[in-house]
Amino acid sequence: MTDSSLPPPGRDSLTDDLLWRGLIQDSTGLDELRELLDGGSAATYYVGFDPTAPSLHVGHLMQVTMARRLQLAGHRPLLLVGGATGQIGDPKETAERTLNPPEVIAGWVEVIRDQLAPFVSYTGENAAQLVNNLDWTGEMSVVEFLRDVGKHFPVNKMLAREVVRARLETGISFTEFSYQLLQANDFFELHRRHGCQLQFGGSDQWGNITAGVDYVRRRGAGPVQAFTTPLVTKSDGTKFGKTEGGAVWLDPTMTSPYAFYQFWLNVEDREVDRYLRYFSFRTRDELEELAKATAERPAARLAQRALAEELTTLVHGPDETRQAVAASQALFGRGSLDDLAPETLRAALAEAGLVRLTGELPDVAGLLRDSGLVSGLKEARRVIAEGGAYVNNNRVTEVDAEVSPADLLHGRYLVLRRGKRSFAGVELGE
């Protein structure tokens, strides 16, 4: 039953804003969720991240931004990094996960803790807290785990989980089968230790999450609530966050801020409104106004630019965002290449295609050929003669033109462009 003192459903309600954005797929009850989130008191909530790689990727941004969103509304986040569950691995439908060494996982735990830190605030009445489930799981004996935790889990319900059913024919280890118990116990321990009342996660975690809600109840605690966010996919149903080069990581050494910015800038028109609702912290009115402006000037890609700039700033900071925007403009002749930091310039050229050359540089026609912008010297000379060749945004007019060391940006880079849209880079090595 919803308390009559709660704010009525509407644009000013956190729950209704989440519903409008499409951020709630499943829940233990919308009335109970509304009472918890809109009732005027700060609720403690948690979301978990298993260290299965040396960085988070854009697929994690749904949960990261949700944690930030709830804290901005006055609630208190617990960000859990799974030092214990990361050693087990949530079952996949296809096959067993490869178990990483504990010392590797411990290193990833620290990296991910650092990556999560900028997204929430650690000061104030609803200050965030980072927690590690190894703190309570690691000290538990096998007998204690089976007696105190396992006793509360009917095997028939565990077998009914979709991913478990999918693995029954090919086989599933007891290790992965028990993952649900570990995650459920996390909710109980966080409720007991920190008064945690709410858990959320991706919709593929619904079985694990509801197992935790039920386990808290069976232990005589609670009540607690839960909801899931939709899995983010592309419009064709394929996995979000993957490119031809692999995952788009939050670590700038694994995916450069420029490449991160370009990932969002290249979102398809039919997807961008949905992604803005999911990830942007603009208000509903602001997003509706942006959608209207984008519809009036689709070629300007205003929505994509807004999405790319906001998320790159959130993940990498305003300075890297300014560099990424400047690089996007400069590479197509709308800004100065001299203003780009060498790291940004190299990252941008690497995305387009960067050729590394040693020794004496060929002439411009040879550079166009070696970079792949043309198929051969004959075509290169024709492009130059027609006025379509550029070096560092300067048009080349002589078919036998050459470059000198003074032309190298930061002493080692050249930006080649054919026409308005096709460009490549050259890096002079030792």
Side-chain angles (χ1 to χ4, degrees):
M1 181 73 67
T2 303
D3 193 316
S4 60
S5 64
L6 297 179
R11 292 167 80 114
D12 295 329
S13 159
L14 172 60
T15 306
D16 283 286
D17 182 64
L18 298 179
L19 289 169
W20 175 79
R21 292 175 183 270
L23 289 174
I24 299 177
Q25 178 153 326
D26 305 292
S27 75
T28 47
L30 284 178
D31 286 344
E32 292 80 3
L33 193 61
R34 188 186 301 281
E35 185 172 356
L36 191 62
L37 295 179
D38 302 324
S41 299
T44 300
Y45 61 92
Y46 103 88
V47 59
F49 303 88
D50 274 348
T52 57
S55 173
L56 298 174
H57 52 73
V58 294
H60 293 106
L61 274 182
M62 175 70 89
Q63 310 313 325
V64 172
T65 54
M66 178 62 80
R68 179 180 176 87
R69 202 179 298 279
L70 296 189
Q71 187 184 34
L72 290 174
H75 302 294
R76 176 174 176 253
L78 300 171
L79 303 183
L80 183 147
V81 182
T85 45
Q87 298 187 46
I88 303 302
D90 195 19
K92 299 188 297 183
E93 290 190 2
T94 52
E96 288 277 317
R97 292 182 182 272
T98 300
L99 297 181
N100 294 297
E103 60 273 16
V104 171
I105 293 172
W108 290 349
V109 165
E110 295 307 311
V111 170
I112 291 173
R113 283 168 65 102
D114 290 343
Q115 283 188 335
L116 290 171
F119 294 98
V120 292
S121 171
Y122 296 88
T123 60
E125 293 182 357
N126 64 331
Q129 184 173 350
L130 289 163
V131 293
N132 185 342
N133 56 18
L134 189 61
D135 292 344
W136 53 84
T137 307
E139 63 189 22
M140 185 181 295
S141 71
V142 174
V143 172
E144 288 174 323
F145 177 73
L146 293 175
R147 181 193 65 198
D148 297 339
V149 181
K151 183 70 173 177
H152 298 280
F153 287 82
V155 172
N156 60 319
K157 292 187 68 174
M158 296 176 66
L159 290 171
R161 189 183 173 203
E162 185 175 340
V163 68
V164 173
R165 292 202 312 269
R167 289 277 301 280
L168 286 178
E169 290 188 10
T170 58
I172 182 171
S173 68
F174 178 75
T175 300
E176 290 195 357
F177 184 63
S178 65
Y179 182 94
Q180 184 179 115
L181 280 69
L182 294 175
Q183 183 171 331
N185 189 53
D186 288 344
F187 202 177
F188 173 73
E189 288 294 337
L190 292 174
H191 179 71
R192 182 173 69 87
R193 295 167 182 240
H194 301 283
C196 183
Q197 304 154 277
L198 175 67
Q199 179 186 180
F200 67 85
S203 60
D204 59 336
Q205 291 293 306
W206 184 235
N208 289 341
I209 291 173
T210 53
V213 172
D214 188 54
Y215 176 59
V216 172
R217 179 186 61 80
R218 288 172 180 266
R219 292 294 297 265
V224 293
Q225 306 301 327
F227 71 91
T228 63
T229 59
L231 289 183
V232 187
T233 60
K234 297 180 182 178
S235 55
D236 60 4
T238 57
K239 193 169 185 178
F240 172 79
K242 295 284 187 177
T243 67
E244 291 182 2
V248 180
W249 303 98
L250 304 195
D251 186 328
T253 66
M254 298 173 69
T255 298
S256 70
Y258 174 83
F260 185 88
Y261 174 84
Q262 288 293 318
F263 172 78
W264 298 104
L265 189 64
N266 292 324
V267 165
E268 294 183 20
D269 292 343
R270 57 183 173 175
E271 297 171 338
V272 68
D273 180 65
R274 179 164 57 99
Y275 292 169
L276 278 165
R277 292 189 188 206
Y278 284 171
F279 300 115
S280 175
F281 289 88
R282 287 174 166 83
T283 66
R284 179 173 179 175
D285 289 340
E286 289 170 333
L287 289 178
E288 289 175 344
E289 185 62 31
L290 178 59
K292 180 180 177 182
T294 301
E296 293 172 351
R297 298 174 56 206
R301 298 177 68 79
L302 298 176
Q304 282 90 341
R305 294 181 189 280
L307 179 66
E309 291 185 22
E310 182 174 357
L311 290 183
T312 306
T313 300
L314 181 64
V315 174
H316 295 296
D319 291 341
E320 291 290 356
T321 302
R322 281 191 290 270
Q323 281 282 308
V325 173
S328 297
Q329 295 172 343
L331 290 174
F332 295 104
R334 298 191 298 273
S336 173
L337 292 167
D338 295 326
D339 295 337
L340 300 182
E343 298 82 6
T344 303
L345 178 60
R346 192 184 194 286
L349 295 178
E351 287 295 303
L354 182 62
V355 178
R356 184 177 174 85
L357 300 179
T358 57
E360 188 175 344
L361 284 170
D363 60 11
V364 174
L367 289 170
L368 291 171
R369 176 200 59 197
D370 294 344
S371 68
L373 289 176
V374 296
S375 59
L377 290 176
K378 182 178 180 180
E379 184 182 6
R381 295 187 180 107
R382 178 179 60 79
V383 171
I384 294 172
E386 293 174 351
Y390 298 80
V391 175
N392 296 344
N393 287 337
N394 297 310
R395 176 176 284 157
V396 179
T397 57
E398 301 294 331
V399 294
D400 57 352
E402 296 184 351
V403 295
S404 70
D407 295 316
L408 294 170
L409 299 167
H410 302 293
R412 63 188 309 165
Y413 301 109
L414 291 171
V415 178
L416 309 177
R417 181 157 51 91
R418 177 183 177 179
K420 294 182 178 180
R421 303 296 301 174
S422 300
F423 70 92
V426 172
E427 180 180 15
L428 183 64
E430 297 294 333

